[in-house]
Amino acid sequence: MRAKARRSEKGQAMAETAMFSVLLVLMAFGFLSLIPIHRARTAATASAYGCAQFLSQSPDAVRAAQNAYQIANTTLNSEWSGTFGVQYRVSVEPPRAPGDPGACTVSWQIPELFRLGFGNGSSQERFISRSETWKAKWR
């Protein structure tokens, strides 16, 4: 009686290992791409919030808008943000009258490298701030 020749499964195991390795690498890049996205959003949120707080602190709307814009850009350009390559745009809407609301918007665009082809990589954070009426009457 002749024994049937056994077919080796080495080839199939190597192919499965190669496919699993590629999938693992893609997943790793996907998870690593979330770090710059999260950092960009965190920096934009901190910047917009700080901008809105400075906007509500001065009774002079023009000076408040200048201070708010400056603090927003200082926050975005700080060394701690770690958002190299992200493009930001700050927009300040000062209060029209004493006690009216003002708003700060920070938009951002993430580099293509970190988007991995998904979406346009841009978003925005917006905070509305109203100065108290008694502060708005300071002169």
Side-chain angles (χ1 to χ4, degrees):
M1 192 189 266
R2 284 176 109 193
K4 289 187 177 180
R6 297 183 77 193
R7 290 181 20 159
S8 174
E9 294 184 5
K10 277 187 178 179
Q12 182 178 350
M14 287 175 52
E16 288 174 356
T17 303
M19 288 183 62
F20 183 72
S21 298
V22 169
L23 179 63
L24 193 62
V25 167
L26 289 175
M27 286 178 59
F29 276 121
F31 285 126
L32 288 176
S33 73
L34 295 177
I35 294 170
I37 292 169
H38 177 70
R39 284 185 159 209
R41 182 181 179 131
T42 301
T45 302
S47 176
Y49 181 75
C51 174
Q53 293 305 308
F54 270 76
L55 194 59
S56 69
Q57 295 301 315
S58 177
D60 180 9
V62 173
R63 188 166 48 167
Q66 291 171 347
N67 290 342
Y69 184 81
Q70 182 180 7
I71 198 66
N73 281 317
T74 302
T75 303
L76 291 172
N77 295 327
S78 64
E79 292 179 11
W80 66 267
S81 69
T83 57
F84 181 73
V86 178
Q87 297 174 347
Y88 294 101
R89 191 176 70 79
V90 177
S91 172
V92 178
E93 301 167 25
R96 293 190 184 117
D100 280 356
C104 290
T105 305
V106 177
S107 305
W108 73 88
Q109 178 81 28
I110 298 169
E112 178 66 36
L113 174 65
F114 298 110
R115 286 188 262 157
L116 298 176
F118 298 108
N120 61 3
S122 63
S123 192
Q124 69 179 13
E125 289 293 327
R126 179 178 171 89
F127 283 91
I128 297 173
S129 179
R130 180 185 300 266
S131 62
E132 293 86 2
T133 307
W134 65 272
K135 274 189 192 171
K137 293 180 181 175
W138 286 352
R139 293 286 173 190

